Amino acid sequence: MDGGSSPLDSALMSGDPDRQVGALIELIKLGDGAAVADILPLVGSRDVAVRSEAVRAIGYLGVAQVPVVGPVLVRMLSDSDEMVRNEAAEALGIVRYDLAVDVLVDLLRTEMSWLVRASISEALGGYPGRATAALVGRVRDVEELGPVRRYAIGSLGRAGDLGRAEISALAEEFGLDEEIGPQLRIAAYRSGDRSQLEGITRDAARMEEDESARFLNDLEDLLRPPVPPTLSEDSTLITTILDLVAMRWPLYSRQARHIRDQLPTA
């Protein structure tokens, strides 16, 4: 940004919410971290769309400016609007501001919006070892909504906070829970528990279409660190599982093939 002479700078300062939102979207596309200083004042806008997009932009563009943007994002977790709070939670999953962890953990218990709790659960996966008990608490809370519990499981799996015995025990305890049982089995397999593959195969054979979409996303996530220690050894069986989903739900055959093609071989 150059002192107000650029069109995007002019749009940010225009006071026109539509122009401001458009400029923020463009700045995110450009990846211009220097624009953060010009964006920060917009988190105080009276327009919800502007506040929300400004918070999102700060998350994407402020990674190298954590001491500056971190406190702002924490403050926006208390915004009156659900979508602004949600963007702040998602941004803190990108920015990784250590002083936000205690606030996020507390809000995971008290935040009224399930959407924001889900984003907080996902964000906490970026702070390994800092929120394990809180995430396990969400998984174990049978009154909690399925999406929140699933994001908590995803964070626990990616962060590697639970040992194989612990995550396998959760998979055993909640194995019959159709909303989270399959994801727990995949998380336990990620930790090294190969015995989960039998249950994962059964899951693939019985799931309805919407469940299979989530199931494929969870299987694809196994390709990202931490990768299961026996993934290459089990690639043939996992290919069979993917083919089973593709046969039952042809709409997902392309994604299943994409995952299959990326599997390591023994």
Side-chain angles (χ1 to χ4, degrees):
M1 313 290 286
D2 60 1
S5 61
S6 78
L8 290 177
D9 193 21
S10 298
L12 287 182
M13 296 187 297
S14 68
D16 180 338
D18 289 338
R19 291 183 64 196
Q20 289 173 321
V21 169
L24 289 164
I25 292 172
E26 287 304 312
L27 288 168
I28 292 172
K29 292 178 182 178
L30 291 171
D32 184 7
V36 168
D38 298 284
I39 295 171
L40 283 171
L42 295 184
V43 302
S45 172
R46 284 193 273 183
D47 187 271
V48 169
V50 174
R51 288 204 310 278
S52 179
E53 198 63 34
V55 169
R56 189 168 81 94
I58 290 169
Y60 279 106
L61 303 178
V63 174
Q65 304 175 54
V66 176
V68 175
V69 304
V72 175
L73 294 174
V74 169
R75 186 172 76 247
M76 300 312 291
L77 289 170
S78 301
D79 194 87
S80 60
D81 185 81
E82 173 189 50
M83 292 311 298
V84 176
R85 300 197 304 276
N86 189 63
E87 292 291 355
E90 290 190 359
L92 285 166
I94 300 171
V95 168
R96 312 286 174 83
Y97 178 53
D98 283 344
L99 296 180
V101 175
D102 289 343
V103 178
L104 290 169
V105 166
D106 186 58
L107 286 174
L108 189 56
R109 179 177 52 85
T110 61
E111 167 63 50
M112 297 299 294
S113 166
W114 73 265
L115 179 65
V116 181
R117 292 197 306 277
S119 292
I120 290 171
S121 294
E122 182 178 29
L124 285 171
Y127 302 84
R130 301 287 302 279
T132 307
L135 291 169
V136 170
R138 286 299 90 191
V139 174
R140 296 182 62 84
D141 185 355
V142 296
E143 299 298 323
E144 180 58 275
L145 294 180
V148 181
R149 299 171 82 193
R150 288 195 293 271
Y151 274 112
I153 294 166
S155 286
L156 288 168
R158 284 188 296 275
D161 287 350
L162 292 182
R164 185 173 73 179
E166 295 168 299
I167 194 70
S168 295
L170 279 175
E172 177 69 21
E173 182 177 357
F174 294 101
L176 297 180
D177 188 321
E178 293 185 359
E179 286 198 289
I180 66 170
Q183 190 180 17
L184 280 170
R185 280 185 278 278
I186 291 174
Y189 170 69
R190 185 199 285 273
S191 74
D193 184 357
R194 298 179 79 185
S195 70
Q196 299 294 333
L197 284 171
E198 183 178 348
I200 292 171
T201 304
R202 288 197 301 268
D203 291 333
R206 66 157 186 81
M207 284 182 172
E208 296 300 321
E209 186 171 3
D210 59 336
E211 296 174 297
S212 294
R214 294 197 300 265
F215 182 72
L216 283 177
N217 289 337
D218 291 334
L219 288 176
E220 187 167 10
D221 196 53
L222 292 176
L223 299 170
R224 306 180 183 96
V227 175
T230 62
L231 187 61
S232 60
E233 298 173 57
D234 300 323
S235 60
T236 300
L237 178 53
I238 293 174
T239 294
T240 300
I241 292 170
L242 291 166
D243 289 344
L244 178 57
V245 175
M247 180 183 66
R248 296 185 69 233
W249 308 109
L251 178 64
Y252 301 128
S253 59
R254 183 175 180 179
Q255 183 182 5
R257 184 169 60 250
H258 174 72
I259 299 169
R260 184 184 62 206
D261 291 345
Q262 294 185 79
L263 287 171
T265 55

